[in-house]
Amino acid sequence: MVVSILSFLVKLVKPLALSISTVTEFILLSFPCSREIQVLLFVLFFVSYILTLMGNGAIVCAVKLDHRLHTPMYILLSNFSFLEICYINTTVPNMLKNFLSETKTISFTACFFQFYFFFSMGITETFLLPLMAFDRYLAICRPLHYPNIMSSHFCMNLVALCWVTAFLCYPVPIYFITQLPFCGPNTIDHFVCDPGPLLALSCIPAPGIELSCSILSSLIIFISFFFILASYTLVLRAVLRVPSAAGRRKAFSTCGSHLTVVSLFYGSIMVMYISPTSENAAGIQKIVTLFYSSVTPLINPLIYSLRNNDVKAALRKIHMCTKISQSK
């Protein structure tokens, strides 16, 4: 399905880039500053990038290699970590290249591919987080029915549905945006090809497309957020009815990591919709986008691994096995 969409986008974007638009490439300003600061930012983000890959990769490997973690809760966690790896790869490698580049250009086609993957990954995250909340709701509020409802097979089907649906959301908006004439300037004050700055570069105003993209994003974000809110309201009500304090602490601990991740992700992306327009809107937009696309994927493995004894045990087991194999 994803391969078919990609081939469709290739056939779509290339002719439009040649026939409709006189702009063949864009300039991503990223974070304009002196050469020394650019090198410093490169080192900082490169280290952050490697740590993100290692942290999320460790969780994926732990769940895959430890059969005790082959449960819906950890299947969802490993898919979420894999998603974070894919998510940062849509933006960070190109951003690192631009830190050391003098031109900071990205081709017309590559720009819209980045736009497509960046938003598809983001939408996948807004689908996976409610699914993880639903899993915790079933485990705590419907414990007797949980094994029958949330089987591993059913969980994988839901995860696949999240990925496929997310990747089907933005081909149509991209089609209409690529049909707009881009005749210059071609400078995007961002480190990613975001629809807002792209639409601002169009030679003709496109309020309909801009409104449609905003409505689509807002619906996905707020509906998924309120679903999570409703799920955890029911979870909280059920936990408060648990008679023992130890039982309540255990129930809260299983949800604490997920609630922390939800707060970080939704708190940052909602700033994009509630912050007033100002002279620093572009700078604020870059910082907020950087936070939920690069910072949260870095700290999410720490949140999950430090608060989850099963994950820590699996990681220790993998570490010991690696040391034993190396000693041989």
Side-chain angles (χ1 to χ4, degrees):
M1 179 66 71
V2 174
V3 174
S4 301
I5 295 173
L6 292 179
S7 60
F8 166 75
L9 287 174
V10 170
K11 293 177 182 178
L12 170 69
V13 173
K14 282 187 175 179
L16 289 170
L18 296 174
S19 60
I20 295 179
S21 174
T22 58
V23 171
T24 59
E25 61 183 16
F26 295 101
I27 299 173
L28 291 174
L29 287 182
S30 189
F31 299 96
C33 50
S34 65
R35 182 66 178 175
E36 292 76 13
I37 300 298
Q38 293 276 336
V39 173
L40 179 62
L41 288 175
F42 171 84
V43 173
L44 179 64
F45 282 105
F46 180 75
V47 172
S48 172
Y49 175 64
I50 297 301
L51 291 175
T52 303
L53 294 179
M54 292 174 60
N56 286 285
I59 291 179
V60 173
C61 292
V63 174
K64 182 177 179 60
L65 298 177
D66 194 328
H67 292 285
R68 295 174 301 174
L69 301 183
H70 291 182
T71 62
M73 175 181 172
Y74 293 107
I75 290 172
L76 292 172
L77 176 58
S78 64
N79 272 275
F80 184 75
S81 295
F82 176 72
L83 170 65
E84 297 289 56
I85 293 173
C86 297
Y87 201 15
I88 63 166
N89 277 307
T90 63
T91 57
V92 176
N94 188 72
M95 183 169 62
L96 291 174
K97 178 180 73 71
N98 283 346
F99 281 138
L100 302 180
S101 172
E102 295 292 340
T103 57
K104 304 184 186 301
T105 58
I106 183 172
S107 69
F108 187 93
T109 303
C111 183
F112 280 95
F113 267 114
Q114 186 187 61
F115 171 20
Y116 171 70
F117 279 106
F118 180 70
F119 272 78
S120 296
M121 296 295 175
I123 293 171
T124 305
E125 185 160 344
T126 63
F127 289 164
L128 277 181
L129 288 174
L131 181 55
M132 295 170 77
F134 179 65
D135 174 73
R136 292 300 84 206
Y137 160 76
L138 289 177
I140 295 173
C141 300
R142 298 288 186 270
L144 298 178
H145 302 285
Y146 177 74
N148 295 326
I149 297 175
M150 189 61 78
S151 64
S152 297
H153 179 70
F154 181 60
C155 179
M156 289 302 298
N157 286 338
L158 290 177
V159 169
L161 181 64
C162 288
W163 281 86
V164 172
T165 305
F167 274 79
L168 291 176
C169 286
Y170 263 89
V172 173
I174 287 177
Y175 170 78
F176 286 110
I177 294 175
T178 53
Q179 284 194 330
L180 295 173
F182 294 92
C183 48
N186 65 338
T187 302
I188 300 175
D189 189 10
H190 213 309
F191 62 88
V192 64
C193 289
D194 192 72
L198 275 173
L199 289 170
L201 296 180
S202 172
C203 300
I204 59 173
I209 297 176
E210 190 171 2
L211 180 62
S212 300
C213 289
S214 179
I215 291 175
L216 177 61
S217 300
S218 299
L219 284 175
I220 292 171
I221 291 169
F222 288 105
I223 289 175
S224 62
F225 176 74
F226 285 122
F227 182 88
I228 294 173
L229 196 62
S231 297
Y232 276 107
T233 300
L234 296 174
V235 168
L236 179 62
R237 189 173 66 176
V239 169
L240 293 177
R241 292 176 181 174
V242 175
S244 66
R248 287 195 296 271
R249 282 196 299 270
K250 183 178 180 180
F252 276 125
S253 67
T254 61
C255 303
S257 300
H258 185 240
L259 280 173
T260 304
V261 171
V262 167
S263 301
L264 290 172
F265 180 73
Y266 280 94
S268 58
I269 61 175
M270 284 184 178
V271 170
M272 305 289 287
Y273 295 93
I274 64 175
S275 60
T277 303
S278 66
E279 293 180 359
N280 298 320
I284 293 173
Q285 188 179 47
K286 280 191 282 190
I287 293 172
V288 172
T289 305
L290 182 68
F291 184 81
Y292 71 76
S293 65
S294 299
V295 178
T296 55
L298 171 64
I299 62 180
N300 285 348
L302 298 176
I303 294 171
Y304 281 116
S305 61
L306 290 178
R307 295 178 61 92
N308 193 297
N309 292 327
D310 293 333
V311 173
K312 286 190 287 185
L315 291 174
R316 283 195 296 268
K317 181 180 177 181
I318 293 173
H319 179 65
M320 290 300 297
C321 292
T322 304
K323 288 180 66 176
I324 293 172
S325 63
Q326 287 176 348
S327 64
K328 292 179 180 179

